[in-house]
Amino acid sequence: MNQFRTRFAPSPTGYMHIGNLRTALYAYLLARANNGSFILRIEDTDKERLVSGALDTIYNTLRNTGLFWDEGPDIGGKFGPYVQSERLSIYKEYAQRLIELGEAYYCFCNKERLDEVRLLQKCAGAVPKYDGFCRTLTKEQIAEKLAAKETYVTRQKIPQFGQIIFEDKVFGGIVVENSTLDDQILIKTDGMPTYNFANVVDDHLMGITHVIRGSEYLSSTPKYNLLYRAFGWEIPQYIHCSPVMRNTTEKLSKRKGDFSFEDLAALGYLNEAILNYIALLGWSPKSEQEIFTLENLKKEFNVTGISKSPAIFDIKKLNYINSQHIKALSADEFHKLALPFIRISVKNKQIDTKLVATLLQNRTEFLKSIPEQVNFIDNLPMYNTDLFINKKMKTDQQSSLEVLNNVLPILEQTVDFSILALRNLFEHYITDHGLKNGFVLWPVRVALSGKEFTPGGAIELAAILGKQEAIKRLKFGVKKLTQTTV
C-alpha cells in the first residue's frame, strides 16, 4: 500500500492530555502533508481503566481542533470496525494462528507462581521477566489443562537468541538482543487482547504505514516487529516522540496540576493556538516562524523536524503564541469570544463591550484573564493613594491632586465624552500647561480604575465609564488624595 496511512488510537480512560493530543496532531499532519489518510481507532480493551464520558472527550477534542479523521468508529471505513472491543474475534483468530506457527503458546502459570518467580529474580539482581516455564509443555499436557478448564494466557514466544534491528525516524537505528525481551502476554485470561498485541494486528489490517507514538513504546517495538515477522507482514515506519515534561526531570501529570487540553480550552486559550504550541513541543520548522495556523502546519510539517530531546511545557511561550492568535482575529471575532468573559465582571448593560474588547484584544494572553482586567468597570475597587506615585511619570500624591483638581472642571463642562473628543481635550490641556502626557494621564487613570494596570489608558477608560461615572470617580480620587496630603 503506497498511500500514507496514519492513525490515532487513544484509550477512553480520561481527559485528553497534551502528549496525547500532540500524537494525534503529528499523525494528522503527516497524513495531510502526504495526501494520505488519518484514521481514528478506539482502544478500549482495558475495561478497568475506562472512564465514562472519555470517548466523547476524544471526539470533541479532535473536532474542536479541526483534526478530522477519514475513517473511524462514527464514519466507518473499509477496515472497520474501528473499536477494539468490537474486534475480539479477530484477535483470537490471529493469536491462534501464532500458536499454530509456533510463535506463541498457552501459559497456565497462576499469580502466586509468577510473583514467586519475580521475587527470586529480584533477589538475584536479575531483570524480572517470565521464565518460560510453559514454553515446553507438550501437546498432551496442554490438552489436559485445557480439558480441565485451567485458566491461561497466550504468550508470545520470543526467540532466545539473535537480535532485532529496526529503524526509527527520530531515534535512528535500534539494536536489541532477543534474550533481553520478555515473553509478553498477547491474550489475557478474560480473553481480551493486550495493547501490545491488538495494536499490531490492527495496524496491519488497517494498512497503517506510519506509526507515530510516544517514546515510552520504543522498548516494546522489538516485540511488535517479531510479531510482524511471525505473520510475514510488512513492518510500518516508526516515529517515536520524546515526552512532554513539566521540567527537566518530571513528566506532565494531571495529578500534579498540569494542564490537559480541556483545562487550556476552559482558560480561554484558542484551539488553534493550543495546536500551534503543541506542534512546537518537540518539533522545529525549517524557518524561524513560530505562529502557525493548522493550514500552515499541514504545509510545513516534516518528521525530520522532530527532536529526540524531551520538550518542556512552557506556559509563558503558550501565552505568547495565544496572544498572537488573539491579535490576528477580527474585532468582531474577538468581541464574540471575549464577551462571556467580560460579562463575568461587567454586568452594567450600559457599558460598550465592543469598545472594551477593542482595548483588550492587544493586551490579552488568554481569555480567562479578562474578568480581572475589567473588574473595575462596574465598581471602583478599594485602592491606596500610593498608586498615584510613579517615578517614571514623575507623579506623586500632591501633583496628582493638583492635576485632578485642574481637569475636573474641564471634564464637567465637556458634553462629548467620546475617545476622540477626550483625546483632543487632554492634548490641549497638556500642551497649554507644558506638561508630559504621563504626568497628567497617570493620576487620571488611577482615579478612574483604582488599578496600576488596565486594558486602556485614562482617555479610553473615561469614555467607557461615561461622563457621570468618570466625574464621580475623579472626585473620589480628589477626596482620598486630599485626606492623604493634608
Side-chain angles (χ1 to χ4, degrees), residues 60 148 208 257 346 439 442:
N60 292 337
I208 303 302
V346 182
F439 186 83
W442 178 261

Side-chain angles (χ1 to χ4, degrees), residues 84-348:
Q84 283 189 338
S85 60
E86 299 173 13
R87 299 170 61 83
L88 299 183
S89 61
I90 296 173
Y91 308 129
K92 291 177 182 178
E93 174 191 341
Y94 280 96
Q96 185 60 39
R97 188 180 301 182
L98 282 177
I99 290 174
E100 294 167 358
L101 290 168
E103 300 287 350
Y105 60 95
Y106 296 112
C107 174
F108 299 92
C109 295
N110 57 32
K111 183 178 184 300
E112 289 72 25
R113 182 185 182 279
L114 295 175
D115 288 344
E116 182 180 352
V117 169
R118 290 193 191 93
L119 180 60
L120 291 172
Q121 289 172 335
K122 185 177 180 181
C123 291
V127 177
K129 67 174 189 173
Y130 182 63
D131 62 353
F133 181 79
C134 291
R135 281 176 70 118
T136 57
L137 291 177
T138 65
K139 289 183 179 180
E140 292 74 21
Q141 289 173 316
I142 294 171
E144 183 180 336
K145 290 178 178 293
L146 291 175
K149 299 189 182 308
E150 289 189 30
T151 58
Y152 65 88
V153 298
T154 303
R155 286 187 184 272
Q156 182 180 2
K157 186 180 284 187
I158 301 289
Q160 294 177 310
F161 305 100
Q163 298 175 324
I164 188 76
I165 303 171
F166 68 96
E167 185 80 14
D168 182 80
K169 291 290 186 181
V170 176
F171 289 87
I174 308 290
V175 180
V176 177
E177 298 294 329
N178 290 335
S179 60
T180 65
L181 302 176
D182 193 9
D183 283 3
Q184 66 177 348
I185 296 174
L186 305 179
I187 303 291
K188 295 178 283 189
T189 55
D190 61 0
M192 298 293 273
T194 60
Y195 166 82
N196 289 328
F197 183 51
N199 91 88
V200 170
V201 174
D202 289 344
D203 283 347
H204 170 72
L205 296 181
M206 294 181 183
I208 303 302
T209 60
H210 295 72
V211 173
I212 298 180
R213 60 184 171 221
S215 59
E216 64 269 24
Y217 293 106
L218 196 58
S219 61
S220 298
T221 301
K223 300 177 187 178
Y224 304 155
N225 286 359
L226 287 169
L227 288 172
Y228 279 105
R229 283 188 188 178
F231 285 120
W233 295 340
E234 183 178 352
I235 296 174
Q237 293 190 38
Y238 294 117
I239 301 103
H240 286 90
C241 303
S242 293
V244 180
M245 310 288 285
R246 70 194 313 257
N247 53 46
T248 55
T249 59
E250 298 176 288
K251 289 185 179 181
L252 287 180
S253 169
K254 180 73 170 175
R255 291 189 299 273
K256 294 180 180 177
D258 294 317
F259 297 114
S260 66
F261 169 78
E262 292 90 336
D263 294 331
L264 293 175
L267 287 170
Y269 289 92
L270 307 188
N271 291 337
E272 196 154 59
I274 298 172
L275 280 189
N276 184 165
Y277 178 64
I278 288 176
L280 299 175
L281 286 173
W283 172 76
S284 298
K286 293 179 180 178
S287 67
E288 296 298 316
Q289 183 178 348
E290 289 186 309
I291 308 304
F292 292 94
T293 63
L294 185 56
E295 289 303 313
N296 295 150
L297 287 171
K298 290 179 189 178
K299 298 172 185 175
E300 293 288 331
F301 185 78
N302 192 300
V303 296
T304 58
I306 299 176
S307 172
K308 293 181 185 179
S309 302
I312 295 178
F313 188 90
D314 181 356
I315 193 67
K316 291 182 180 178
K317 184 67 173 288
L318 173 60
N319 287 345
Y320 166 73
I321 288 174
N322 198 61
S323 71
Q324 298 307 302
H325 281 271
I326 285 175
K327 289 176 183 177
L329 295 171
S330 70
D332 286 341
E333 288 172 330
F334 178 71
H335 177 251
K336 183 178 180 181
L337 289 174
L339 185 58
F341 295 90
I342 293 172
R343 283 299 182 205
I344 291 173
S345 292
V346 182
K347 311 295 185 184
N348 185 350

Side-chain angles (χ1 to χ4, degrees), residues 406-472:
N406 288 337
V407 300
L408 256 172
I410 301 174
L411 292 173
E412 287 176 321
Q413 296 172 18
T414 301
V415 176
D416 189 351
F417 242 65
S418 67
I419 289 178
L420 181 59
L422 290 171
R423 182 171 292 120
N424 288 334
L425 184 151
F426 275 102
E427 284 178 356
H428 284 303
Y429 175 83
I430 289 167
T431 301
D432 291 346
H433 291 78
L435 302 172
K436 297 288 186 181
N437 286 349
F439 186 83
V440 174
L441 297 178
W442 178 261
V444 174
R445 181 155 75 95
V446 170
L448 293 175
S449 67
K451 300 182 73 171
E452 184 177 3
F453 301 105
T454 58
I459 293 168
E460 292 84 4
L461 299 188
I464 287 171
L465 293 170
K467 181 176 179 177
Q468 182 178 351
E469 181 65 19
I471 296 296
K472 175 183 174 183

Side-chain angles (χ1 to χ4, degrees), residues 49-62:
R49 297 180 61 231
L50 299 184
V51 173
S52 177
L55 187 57
D56 289 335
T57 296
I58 292 169
Y59 285 135
N60 292 337
T61 299
L62 295 179

Side-chain angles (χ1 to χ4, degrees), residues 470-484:
I471 296 296
K472 175 183 174 183
R473 293 189 182 194
L474 292 175
K475 286 182 176 179
F476 180 73
V478 168
K479 180 179 179 182
K480 283 181 70 75
L481 287 167
T482 301
Q483 293 170 346
T484 303

